[in-house]
Amino acid sequence: MAAIRDHLGRTFKTLRISLINTCNLACTYCTYGNEESKENYAEHKAKALSVQELLNLIKRLHSRLDLTAIRFTGGEPLLYKELTTLIKGASDLGINDLNLTTNGLLLQRMAPALKAAGLHSINISLDAIDHLTFFKMSRRHGLDQTLSGIEAAISAGIEVKLNTVIMKGMNDNQVIPLLKYAFSRNIKIRFLEIMAMGHLHGKTDEYFFSQKDLLALIGRHYNFSSVNRSNSATANYWQTEEGHHFGIIANESQPFCTDCNRLRLDAYGNIYGCLSSNNPVSLIETTDAASLDFKLEAALAQKQSLKFTGSKLSMLHIGG
């Protein structure tokens, strides 16, 4: 069966699954801060697919696409009560590269079970290493829990990376302290340019801190050289003279759309070919191979040719 490809040769190999639309933080780049109501959660719970329904969809997508990796996102995926069951089910399908993006607040107690279920790596969102800035970015207290979660994941044998969204005037003073922390723990850190998603769609200029800005700032403290970018990778990487690595996800300064291989699946059975799309493609009642191919081709057509353009869709609903 021929692979599904577009005019740039792109296909889908990585599946990102948004499991839940609630979070225990309210980060300034993600929400207004008041979206996580009981009504929203009740509606989500009523509409969301069961674990078995999700696994059935994953199985069908894997059979057609020969997926190489799955990343579980949210909202906050550690709030998803059947997470370990889902990870174990995906592992049983023969997908070995299973990853999770989390804020880490609940990770200290969950890390061993996640590892046992088959989780390979975790990206932990950490936007500040001091309590005041952490609260300013997340509108919640929780730095100590996140740091404990990082240690628990390392102890459990899970590969850890840090993700840091940098907002000018908000947490750009945290770049060097976070680098020092990551280097001291011998883990990779990736800085993200702010994305024009949700309430920030069309309004990122005030907070934009570019890859150029980041490299200039880091260059005042470290000597480093660039590392060749891997195919379909989101991040550019550099290595310091001491051998430490850091990355930058420069979705605006240096887009990576031309070889993007990511497909997104939400908790309701909708797929999206790009974060820039507000238009879900439903896989519900897609029962035969021809209709699945048609839906996948529709999602693939959503990919941008050159650069990410943003969307009014909140990260709470589709993940990063």
Side-chain angles (χ1 to χ4, degrees), residues 119-135:
L119 194 70
H120 173 258
S121 66
I122 295 183
N123 287 357
I124 300 175
S125 299
L126 181 64
D127 298 323
I129 200 66
D130 73 67
H131 290 83
L132 181 63
T133 309
F134 184 95
F135 183 82

Side-chain angles (χ1 to χ4, degrees), residues 175-184 189 191 214-225 238-246:
V175 172
I176 301 306
L178 281 164
L179 270 180
K180 290 180 178 178
Y181 168 74
F183 293 168
S184 74
I189 183 169
F191 299 103
L214 282 161
L215 292 176
L217 175 56
I218 296 169
R220 293 200 287 270
H221 300 264
Y222 297 94
N223 294 318
F224 52 80
S225 57
W238 288 263
Q239 179 175 319
T240 69
E241 286 184 340
E242 296 79 15
H244 299 296
H245 290 82
F246 68 91

Side-chain angles (χ1 to χ4, degrees), residues 43 109 146 153 191 247 252-253 256 271 275:
E43 181 182 4
R109 64 178 176 84
T146 297
F191 299 103
E252 180 66 28
S253 299
F256 40 84
I271 55 173
L275 280 175

